[in-house]
Amino acid sequence: MDFKWFMEAMSASHSSYHAVAFAEKTLLDAGFHSLSEKKTYRLEAGQSYFVKRNDSSLIAFRIPATKPKRFLIASAHSDSPTFRVKPNPDMERKGLLALNVEGYGGMIIPSWLDRPLSIAGRVIVETEQGVETRLFDVGRDLCVIPNVAIHMNRDINSGFAYRQGVDTIPLCGIKEGVYSNFADWLKESLHDASIKTVLSHDLYLYVREEPRLFGLQDEFLLSPRLDDLSSAFSVLNGFLSANSGNAIAVYALFDNEEVGSLTRQGANSTFLKETLSRIAACLWDEKDALPIAVADGFHLSVDNAHANHPNHPELSDPTTDVRLGGGIVLKYNAAQHYTTDGYSAAVVKRICSLAELPYQEFTNRSDLRGGSTLGNISNSEISFAGADIGIPQLAMHSAVETCAKKDIEQMAQFIRCYYVLA
């Protein structure tokens, strides 16, 4: 795996829109053809394609030269917990300008305070040609969410509860001599004379922290948005380097996992089902070809996993030993928040054995509720046998998270072998 490319991908992906834009460029550079959901698909054997939805989700697939028999899918998600800028965000506080934001996903709030922050996402504008979308990234230190001094909040180190909309308002300017409103500032910041007006936006805060290696041998990675972009880009790397034989290899990058996936571009949407149906309509005449290809297929849901915390081993399940640097993680849950079962776990373990790659197994401590992810949610629309796997990490949903470089590289290796051996 080209780790320099991976670090560039992480640095460029300050929003789900930017993550998909980076994946799109990578696919185009690799010879993939862009499709539009608004047009009829015309597919050829031996060719590779991708399609986007909402500019924040993407599905890529590779058709083998011989008649394909099934689908092999690996999916990840493009979004991460953050703060979303509200439609009319202008706030004035004692001569200072602030932005009204709301939480997106379950972040660790204190990790966002007293850090330089910026804004990225997309802006919808009106031009002479009509309504158009612009990718937007301020690309500089823009705002900060300031803590209250300990002298005024003596409880800050003893279980203080941060209140969204009160303690989480970012400061961005002084009223005198600045723009009259956020929309005017946004329009000028786009540096595009063709824009008549800013109509709306989907903008999010991001931490101005670059991914960096650290440790005695640079074995760890400290970065924002490791959940789930470290999986998204390692899976993309493995997908591009694989030869999938007589299967249609599919890479899916969904948005909105952190808020439940029930959107037109989420894993609980029709995006995957409709894309696979349109592929089948182009390639097969048989009436039952699609359900047969699905029944014989497999779906890897790839979302990061909790490593045992070195300071709090009591939070892990007594028989779970997930370590940074220990390899990919198979995730299980009795309530089926993860799709892994005995059969799918055996498939993953066999691939690891044939590829001589390590694996680890994760279950939550029985009295602690875990999260859910893509596999079981997408099965509500189109049902595959599948497993949930992930890269082990610490501080999940913090503004900055930690994992091991080795695990990212091994995830890419595993995904490459999955498309060949599953």
Side-chain angles (χ1 to χ4, degrees):
M1 179 179 181
D2 182 352
F3 211 78
K4 180 180 178 183
W5 169 87
F6 174 84
M7 296 288 270
E8 290 174 354
M10 295 296 296
S11 294
S13 301
H14 293 145
S15 74
S16 57
Y17 304 101
H18 289 82
V20 166
F22 190 93
E24 177 182 20
K25 181 180 183 304
T26 300
L27 291 165
L28 289 171
D29 290 346
F32 280 65
H33 305 285
S34 176
L35 299 171
S36 170
E37 289 194 288
K38 298 177 181 180
K39 298 180 180 180
T40 300
Y41 286 7
R42 303 190 186 282
L43 308 178
E44 298 180 12
Q47 297 297 312
S48 303
Y49 304 89
F50 72 90
V51 59
K52 297 188 299 179
R53 180 176 285 188
N54 193 51
D55 294 324
S56 62
S57 291
L58 176 149
I59 295 176
F61 55 94
R62 187 168 50 245
I63 301 173
T66 57
K67 187 173 183 178
K69 296 182 178 180
R70 59 185 182 140
F71 293 105
L72 291 179
I73 303 170
S75 65
H77 64 88
S78 60
D79 62 322
S80 299
T82 180
F83 291 92
R84 179 178 177 135
V85 179
K86 288 190 173 182
N88 299 295
D90 302 279
M91 301 179 74
E92 182 184 348
R93 299 287 179 88
K94 299 295 184 180
L96 301 177
L97 294 182
L99 294 175
N100 195 5
V101 299
E102 60 182 322
Y104 174 93
M107 79 282 291
I108 301 175
I109 291 177
S111 67
W112 283 82
L113 276 65
D114 302 319
R115 293 177 180 269
L117 305 173
S118 196
I119 293 176
R122 68 175 180 179
V123 180
I124 315 302
V125 301
E126 182 181 4
T127 70
E128 293 292 344
Q129 285 69 45
V131 176
E132 299 179 2
T133 299
R134 298 282 193 273
L135 267 181
F136 182 72
D137 188 342
V138 178
R140 64 176 179 86
D141 301 342
L142 180 72
C143 53
V144 68
I145 303 173
N147 252 310
V148 172
I150 194 170
H151 313 81
M152 300 174 183
N153 183 3
R154 296 291 181 179
D155 296 327
I156 200 164
N157 292 324
S158 55
F160 175 72
Y162 288 87
R163 296 165 295 173
Q164 291 205 37
V166 177
D167 300 303
T168 60
I169 300 297
L171 171 68
C172 64
I174 296 175
K175 183 174 177 57
E176 294 180 2
V178 299
Y179 301 95
S180 59
N181 57 58
F182 181 75
D184 287 345
W185 171 83
L186 194 54
K187 179 181 177 182
E188 184 162 326
S189 298
L190 287 165
H191 304 296
D192 188 341
S194 69
I195 295 173
K196 296 170 62 177
T197 185
V198 171
L199 297 172
S200 58
H201 53 75
D202 295 301
L203 296 174
Y204 301 85
L205 299 188
Y206 70 89
V207 175
R208 291 279 293 162
E209 179 100 17
E210 286 296 313
R212 66 193 66 191
L213 297 174
F214 73 98
L216 295 175
Q217 299 178 343
D218 281 343
E219 60 265 59
F220 300 118
L221 174 63
L222 183 71
S223 175
R225 300 174 298 281
L226 286 177
D227 175 23
D228 187 36
L229 292 186
S230 59
S231 290
F233 291 123
S234 57
V235 171
L236 178 58
N237 180 271
F239 167 75
L240 290 173
S241 62
N243 177 1
S244 53
N246 64 357
I248 299 174
V250 180
Y251 167 76
L253 184 58
F254 294 112
D255 195 6
N256 303 131
E257 190 277 339
E258 299 294 356
V259 291
S261 295
L262 189 56
T263 59
R264 64 182 290 265
Q265 60 275 353
N268 203 19
S269 73
T270 59
F271 189 25
L272 180 63
K273 177 182 178 180
E274 290 172 353
T275 301
L276 299 188
S277 297
R278 294 176 77 169
I279 294 171
C282 288
L283 300 181
W284 297 310
D285 297 324
E286 298 90 336
K287 177 182 177 181
D288 294 331
L290 176 60
I292 291 172
V294 171
D296 194 32
F298 202 86
H299 182 184
L300 279 179
S301 167
V302 190
D303 198 352
N304 285 10
H306 299 291
N308 288 34
H309 199 290
N311 301 337
H312 292 282
E314 75 281 0
L315 295 177
S316 297
D317 194 67
T319 58
T320 292
D321 187 18
V322 175
R323 305 186 182 192
L324 298 183
I328 68 164
V329 181
L330 257 170
K331 303 191 290 183
Y332 302 82
N333 182 264
Q336 294 300 293
H337 292 155
Y338 304 132
T339 57
T340 312
D341 60 14
Y343 167 74
S344 62
V347 171
V348 172
K349 291 178 181 181
R350 178 178 177 272
I351 295 169
C352 287
S353 175
L354 293 172
E356 299 182 343
L357 290 170
Y359 67 87
Q360 308 177 81
E361 295 178 282
F362 170 83
T363 54
N364 283 295
R365 207 179 74 182
S366 298
D367 60 337
L368 294 179
R369 182 181 178 276
S372 61
T373 186
L374 305 164
N376 60 335
I377 292 174
S378 65
N379 270 348
S380 66
E381 287 292 336
I382 185 163
S383 300
F384 281 86
D388 273 274
I389 65 172
I391 294 168
Q393 72 162 90
L394 297 173
M396 188 176 289
H397 288 197
S398 177
V400 180
E401 303 162 318
T402 297
C403 69
K405 177 185 177 185
K406 182 179 180 181
D407 291 327
I408 294 170
E409 294 170 331
Q410 290 190 340
M411 177 60 79
Q413 293 177 43
F414 173 81
I415 294 297
R416 177 176 58 82
C417 295
Y418 158 71
Y419 285 114
V420 175
L421 300 173

